[in-house]
Amino acid sequence: RVSRWHAMSGRYTVSLVIAHVFLIMWGYALQAGKSLGDIVQQTITSVDQLPDMGKAAIGTGLLFVIAFLSIGPIRRRLPYDSWYHVHLLTYAAMYLTFWHQITTGNEFAVEPSAKTFRYG
């Protein structure tokens, strides 16, 4: 049962990350006076210009690779040790994506105690 919960939480996490990236980039595109079709260009611009977004993009890509390799039929073809070590890369993905929250998050820019709490 715990393994199923773990797998389901991974699916929810990846789904929420996809929604987060899409909705944030759509919002940034709308703010810039662009349309829904300009999301890819807005994403490239954001990764290039906003602090720590390059690291967040790498971490997000790493998370997607981990999720892809964790799909049942693919995971069953990998040796357990290989899959286990790839799965541990989730920590690297979380580390890389953490920093963009601090540098681009308005809540952390205006409230130093919120930043301190988030570090904790």
Side-chain angles (χ1 to χ4, degrees):
R1 186 184 328 190
V2 172
S3 291
R4 284 187 302 217
W5 290 348
H6 178 78
M8 188 59 67
S9 69
R11 289 181 194 107
Y12 286 147
T13 299
V14 171
S15 298
L16 290 171
V17 167
I18 290 169
H20 168 70
V21 170
F22 175 76
L23 293 171
I24 289 292
M25 290 305 124
W26 187 15
Y28 285 170
L30 290 175
Q31 273 185 329
K34 299 176 183 175
S35 68
L36 179 62
D38 296 320
I39 288 180
V40 172
Q41 182 57 44
Q42 183 62 49
T43 302
I44 292 167
T45 301
S46 295
V47 168
D48 283 345
Q49 294 179 357
L50 294 175
D52 294 323
M53 287 299 289
K55 288 187 261 183
I58 293 168
T60 301
L62 189 56
L63 184 65
F64 290 159
V65 168
I66 295 162
F68 176 75
L69 293 174
S70 297
I71 295 171
I74 297 169
R75 186 186 71 237
R76 285 190 285 276
R77 290 179 178 250
L78 292 173
Y80 178 79
D81 287 347
S82 298
W83 176 80
Y84 175 77
H85 289 98
V86 166
H87 203 70
L88 286 178
L89 288 174
T90 304
Y91 292 106
M94 294 302 107
Y95 177 80
L96 288 168
T97 58
F98 174 82
W99 302 105
H100 87 284
Q101 300 171 38
I102 301 296
T103 56
T104 60
N106 188 47
E107 298 83 7
F108 302 121
V110 298
E111 186 59 50
S113 61
K115 185 186 292 187
T116 303
F117 181 75
R118 184 67 178 156
Y119 279 127

